[in-house]
């Protein structure tokens, strides 16, 4: 007996060992060196093809007398009968058997085989088709009729049988018989194609009245829009306009509420249009628009508009286009008056009609829906109603006074104590400028600065005065700007640029001094808690030497908002750029010292050293000053910030690159002994759930640290020796 481990109830009396598949033992190749003659897969396949033996084919049999023929037929019939007994339901075997009997010209036996096959599966219409085709091919017409008649009686829903039967009778010239077959078929109410085939059959023999009668039965059997339209087109083709109109009218009476009624009305209207009955067509279109739901009448509206453009007047066209959409928008704004998007669409619709009275009415109704809460997010869409209203009055209606009134009412409506919109102030001022009313524009912008000062308003006002050449006004505006926002670096730098463009160097310098002395720009908190320089300072120290204003614009474009320290550094960097452009290198050094008093960031040290190296003085002195800055920075990172090893290594790399750039005057031996060694180490990753594995990092070992490490090793060795000697003495 096999053990329980080897038996399985599902295996019967077999064990697992009995059903195991034993694979051949893999052959171990001892010599793995390549053979001197390599054989490709293509060569193997070609040799196999050449050595392949020819296919064994049965010999050809030649029948010489009737006895051999009888034996051959008996043998073939026995093979077919045996095959049928095995696969009785395989229709292809029956077909081959019957076709073989046909090839032997034994038609009685062939018919017997077909009949036996039909007893097996009479629902197979392919069997009927082949049976009838055999009779037709051998010109047994009555037999074929008998087969077709039985086929359509048993399978009346197979259209192909009817088509073949009718086609045979028509080819034989038996038109009456074909018509009789069609009538039998129509009694089964076939699909539209069957009716249309019957109609085409009658029209081929010019039986128009018969075709008309069939059409009447057709639309009763298939009361669809497409059937009625075909009926009407048939009458129109035969020149029966009155009959065609009568067909359309009957169709409208029965199918006015059908889903496809739109197509019926369009066809009816186009029919009247072809008959030059434009008033009838217009009435049909209007009747359809009144009765068909709006969601299903898109094509109808488009056709109506095209009809009115061709035959109607302007008012008719406008009514056709606007009527439906006006009703929809009225429904939307009635349900939700605060849906400003619906108001925008409604106004756009009325503007397309160019009816001033209606446009102004809709605008007035729209702006009357003031947001209930005084929060800016609710007013952001609403304010554009006023803007569009004012632009319409100015550009389309050409009414200056009404435009001015719209701007005035809008500005009075906005609660400027809580929020405001610089856009509406600027649009009102630009409108006054377009009307050559500078005093009015200044008054609008002055009110804006007094009620709701914003950066955009100051910038635009200053830009306008600069274009007009009013320098004193620009200075006053900059003073107001800085009085309102003393921490705005953009304003300080642009004010200094203005004075510099006027060759007022001392005034520009004084403005920079005032800027960096502002208390709002002198906040004591550390900005580099994460150990990185803010994007603002990085931008200000880029080699492109951007002006401060452009740096600020760049920060706004990338979504960075300047903090107070950022503003200080921007102003100071702009001040440094100004002094360098003026050739005041001593003043620039003083500014760099003030910047280094504020931050000891690596980028600031490198920028200062590069300035010293590129100053327009004696080259040796420049190199000495740059080295002094690098030494000072190195001492700071070594003594005050020893944890910033990566910054210290980057500083040394910059120093080494600068020494190499000096050429013969450079001395790389000053830097190379100070370069650190890079070590790849691992440290544990700490997470809330405890240790989460290890990560690799690069550590820098500087020369003085390596020396101190060696001293520690010697000290530990001496201590170990003392302990060993002490333990030996005790023993």
């Amino acid at each position: 007996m096999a053990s329980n481990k080897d038996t399985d109830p599902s295996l019967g009396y077999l064990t697992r060992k009995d059903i195991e598949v034993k694979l051949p033992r893999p052959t171990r190749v001892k010599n793995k060196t390549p053979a001197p003659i390599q054989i490709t897969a293509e060569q193997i396949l070609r040799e196999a093809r050449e050595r392949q033996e020819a296919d064994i084919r049965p010999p050809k049999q030649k029948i010489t007398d009737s006895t051999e023929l009888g034996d051959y037929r008996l043998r073939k019939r026995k093979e077919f009968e045996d095959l049928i007994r095995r696969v009785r339901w395989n229709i292809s075997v029956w077909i081959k058997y019957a076709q073989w009997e046909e090839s032997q010209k034994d038609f009685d036996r062939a018919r017997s085989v077909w009949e036996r096959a039909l007893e097996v599966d009479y629902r197979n219409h392919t069997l009927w088709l082949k049976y009838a085709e055999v009779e037709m091919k051998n010109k047994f017409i009555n037999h074929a009729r008998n087969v077709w008649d039985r086929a359509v009686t048993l399978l009346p829903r197979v259209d192909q049988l009817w088509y073949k039967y009718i086609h045979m009778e028509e080819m034989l010239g038996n038109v009456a018989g074909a018509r009789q077959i069609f009538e039998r078929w129509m009694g089964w109410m076939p699909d539209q194609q069957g009716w249309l085939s019957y109609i085409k059959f009658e029209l081929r023999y010019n039986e128009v009245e018969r075709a008309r009668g069939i059409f009447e039965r057709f639309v009763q059997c298939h009361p669809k829009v497409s059937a009625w339209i075909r009926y009407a087109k048939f009458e129109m083709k035969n020149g029966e306009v009155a009959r065609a109109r009568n067909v359309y009218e009957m169709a409208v009476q029965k199918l006015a509420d059908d889903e496809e009624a739109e197509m019926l009305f369009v066809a009816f209207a186009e029919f009247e249009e072809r008959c030059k009955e434009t008033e009838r067509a217009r009435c049909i279109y209007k009747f359809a628009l009144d009765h068909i739901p709006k969601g299903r009448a898109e094509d109808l509206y488009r056709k109506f508009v095209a009809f009115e453009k061709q035959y109607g007047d302007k008012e008719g066209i406008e009514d056709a286009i606007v009527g439906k959409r006006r009703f929809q928008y009225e429904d939307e704004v009635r349900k939700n008056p605060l849906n400003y998007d619906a108001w925008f669409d409604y106004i756009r619709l009325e503007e397309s009609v160019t009816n001033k009275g209606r446009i102004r009415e809709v605008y007035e109704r729209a702006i009357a829906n003031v947001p209930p809460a005084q929060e800016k997010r609710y007013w952001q869409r609403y304010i554009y109603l006023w803007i569009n209203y004012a632009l319409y009055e100015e550009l389309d209606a050409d009414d200056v006074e009404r435009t001015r009134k719209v701007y005035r009412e809008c500005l009075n409506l906005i609660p400027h104590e809580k929020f405001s919109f610089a856009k509406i102030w600027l649009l009102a001022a630009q409108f006054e400028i377009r009307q050559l009313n500078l005093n009015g524009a200044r008054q609008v912008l002055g009110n804006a600065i007094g009620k709701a000062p914003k950066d955009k308003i100051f910038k635009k006002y200053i830009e306008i005065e600069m274009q007009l050449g009013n320098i004193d006004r620009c200075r006053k505006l900059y003073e107001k700007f800085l009085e309102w926002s003393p921490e705005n670096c953009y304003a300080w730098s642009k004010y200094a640029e203005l004075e510099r463009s006027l060759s007022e160097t001392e005034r520009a310098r004084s403005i920079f001094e005032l800027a960096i002395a502002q208390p709002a720009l002198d906040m004591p908190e550390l900005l580099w808690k994460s150990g990185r320089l803010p994007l603002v300072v990085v931008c200000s120290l880029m080699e492109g030497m951007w002006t401060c204003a452009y740096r600020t614009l760049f920060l706004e474009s990338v979504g960075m908002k300047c903090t107070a320290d950022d503003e200080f550094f921007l102003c100071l960097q702009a001040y440094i750029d100004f002094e360098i452009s003026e050739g005041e290198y001593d003043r620039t050094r003083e500014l760099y010292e003030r910047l280094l008093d504020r931050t000891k960031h690596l980028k600031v040290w490198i920028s200062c050293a590069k300035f010293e190296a590129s100053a327009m003085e004696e080259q040796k002195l420049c190199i000495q000053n740059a080295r002094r800055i690098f030494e000072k920075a190195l001492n700071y990172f070594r003594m005050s910030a020893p944890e910033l090893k990566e910054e210290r290594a980057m500083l040394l790399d910059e120093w080494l690159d600068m020494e190499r750039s000096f050429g013969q005057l450079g001395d790389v031996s000053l830097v190379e002994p100070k370069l650190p060694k890079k070590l790849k180490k691992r440290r544990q990753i700490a997470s809330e759930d405890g240790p989460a594995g290890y990560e690799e990092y690069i550590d820098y070992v500087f020369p003085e640290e390596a020396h101190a490490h060696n001293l520690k090793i010697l000290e530990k060795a001496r201590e170990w020796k003392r302990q060993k000697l002490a333990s030996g003495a005790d023993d």
Side-chain angles (χ1 to χ4, degrees), residues 66-248:
S66 59
T67 305
E68 291 182 358
L69 178 60
D71 293 340
Y72 165 72
R73 287 176 176 175
L74 182 62
R75 185 173 63 256
K76 289 293 291 183
R77 288 188 182 114
K78 187 175 184 304
E79 290 175 1
F80 276 118
E81 291 293 341
D82 293 341
L83 189 60
I84 285 171
R85 278 195 296 272
R86 287 200 302 272
V87 286
R88 178 180 175 80
W89 299 102
N90 192 341
I91 300 301
S92 62
V93 176
W94 289 101
I95 293 173
K96 289 179 181 178
Y97 189 8
Q99 289 175 347
W100 180 81
E101 293 289 0
E102 180 197 354
S103 66
Q104 300 299 314
K105 303 301 181 181
D106 195 343
F107 297 108
D108 291 334
R109 285 183 177 274
R111 288 191 190 99
S112 176
V113 174
W114 286 116
E115 293 295 338
R116 289 168 63 194
L118 289 173
E119 289 178 2
V120 174
D121 186 9
Y122 73 92
R123 293 186 180 88
N124 191 333
H125 67 281
T126 306
L127 206 58
W128 289 102
L129 290 171
K130 290 186 177 295
Y131 188 8
E133 285 174 0
V134 168
E135 299 289 5
M136 291 165 60
K137 183 170 65 175
N138 294 287
K139 299 182 180 181
F140 298 115
I141 304 302
N142 290 328
H143 284 284
R145 282 196 181 105
N146 184 25
V147 173
W148 287 125
D149 189 78
R150 291 164 58 199
V152 298
T153 303
L154 293 173
L155 302 174
R157 295 298 179 187
V158 180
D159 295 345
Q160 191 176 7
L161 298 175
W162 293 101
Y163 285 125
K164 291 281 189 179
Y165 192 7
I166 293 166
H167 178 68
M168 184 190 77
E169 295 293 350
E170 193 174 359
M171 294 298 291
L172 294 172
N174 187 8
V175 177
R179 185 177 290 117
Q180 186 178 3
I181 297 168
F182 263 122
E183 288 296 334
R184 285 179 60 190
W185 188 15
M186 296 306 110
W188 289 96
M189 295 183 181
D191 59 3
Q192 293 191 19
Q193 191 59 41
W195 289 94
L196 295 175
S197 299
Y198 191 10
I199 293 167
K200 290 178 182 177
F201 167 77
E202 296 293 355
L203 291 176
R204 280 199 295 272
Y205 299 100
N206 296 322
E207 296 288 346
V208 178
E209 288 299 327
R210 287 180 179 273
R212 185 175 289 118
I214 297 167
F215 258 121
E216 292 176 359
R217 293 160 58 195
F218 172 40
V219 295
Q220 297 298 325
C221 180
H222 295 282
K224 294 183 179 180
V225 171
S226 58
W228 284 99
I229 291 175
R230 285 179 181 275
Y231 188 10
K233 288 182 177 179
F234 161 75
E235 297 291 359
M236 188 65 184
K237 186 176 181 180
N238 290 292
E240 298 288 344
V241 177
R243 286 179 180 271
R245 185 176 289 118
N246 187 30
V247 171
Y248 275 120

Side-chain angles (χ1 to χ4, degrees), residues 585-586 589 612 614-622 625:
Y585 298 115
D586 292 334
R589 290 189 183 94
E612 293 291 355
S614 60
M616 300 298 292
E617 297 176 353
E618 186 180 353
Q619 191 171 8
K620 289 185 178 180
L621 182 60
C622 292
N625 291 336

Side-chain angles (χ1 to χ4, degrees), residues 501-526:
S501 65
L502 298 172
S503 300
E504 295 286 349
T505 307
E506 290 301 323
R507 287 179 67 92
R509 186 174 288 117
S510 301
I511 291 168
F512 276 123
E513 289 291 340
L514 284 173
I516 62 176
Q518 290 298 312
L521 296 179
D522 192 19
M523 296 179 67
E525 68 267 12
L526 293 177

Side-chain angles (χ1 to χ4, degrees), residues 265-455:
F265 284 111
V266 169
F268 194 4
E270 289 178 348
F271 161 74
E272 296 292 355
E273 186 179 346
R274 284 193 296 271
C275 295
K276 309 300 181 183
E277 295 286 348
T278 54
E279 288 302 322
R280 283 177 176 270
R282 185 175 286 108
C283 292
I284 292 167
Y285 276 124
K286 291 182 178 179
F287 177 82
L289 292 173
D290 292 338
H291 287 78
I292 294 178
K294 307 301 180 184
R296 300 205 308 259
E298 295 180 1
D299 187 55
L300 187 65
Y301 272 102
R302 188 168 59 253
K303 296 282 187 180
F304 185 33
V305 171
F307 171 79
E308 289 292 348
K309 286 181 180 179
Q310 186 174 0
Y311 299 104
D313 54 2
K314 185 177 180 180
E315 294 181 0
I317 298 171
E318 291 176 355
D319 291 341
I321 296 174
V322 176
K324 169 198 170 185
R325 296 172 63 189
R326 184 182 288 134
F327 174 79
Q328 291 177 345
Y329 291 136
E330 285 288 348
D331 187 49
E332 288 184 19
V333 299
R334 184 176 64 254
K335 291 178 181 177
N336 183 10
L338 298 179
N339 185 2
Y340 299 120
D341 291 332
W343 283 110
F344 283 124
D345 295 336
Y346 194 2
I347 291 166
R348 199 176 298 114
L349 171 67
E350 295 296 346
E351 286 179 349
S352 65
V353 182
T354 65
N355 187 340
K356 289 185 180 180
R358 290 194 62 87
I359 294 170
R360 284 172 176 162
E361 179 189 353
V362 177
Y363 267 121
E364 292 293 338
R365 289 171 56 196
I367 61 178
N369 297 292
V370 182
Q374 290 188 352
E375 296 183 21
K376 190 169 184 177
R377 59 194 178 99
Y378 296 116
W379 287 64
Q380 286 176 341
R381 292 291 290 164
Y382 170 72
I383 204 68
Y384 278 96
L385 289 171
W386 287 96
I387 293 172
N388 290 351
Y389 191 10
L391 293 175
Y392 167 75
E393 293 292 351
E394 180 187 0
L395 302 176
D396 295 341
D398 199 15
D399 192 334
V400 176
E401 289 302 322
R402 198 175 181 90
T403 306
R404 189 174 284 115
K405 182 181 177 182
V406 171
Y407 278 122
R408 191 183 305 118
E409 290 180 0
C410 178
L411 291 172
N412 292 333
L413 182 65
I414 298 172
H416 299 290
E417 300 82 10
K418 296 185 177 181
F419 59 86
S420 184
F421 294 94
K423 181 183 289 293
I424 197 71
W425 289 106
L426 295 177
L427 287 172
Q430 289 167 351
F431 162 72
E432 296 294 349
I433 291 172
R434 286 194 293 272
Q435 307 305 319
L436 304 180
N437 184 8
L438 291 177
N439 291 329
R442 288 188 178 117
Q443 184 179 0
V444 171
L445 292 172
N447 290 334
I449 292 173
K451 291 183 179 180
K454 287 181 175 290
D455 287 357

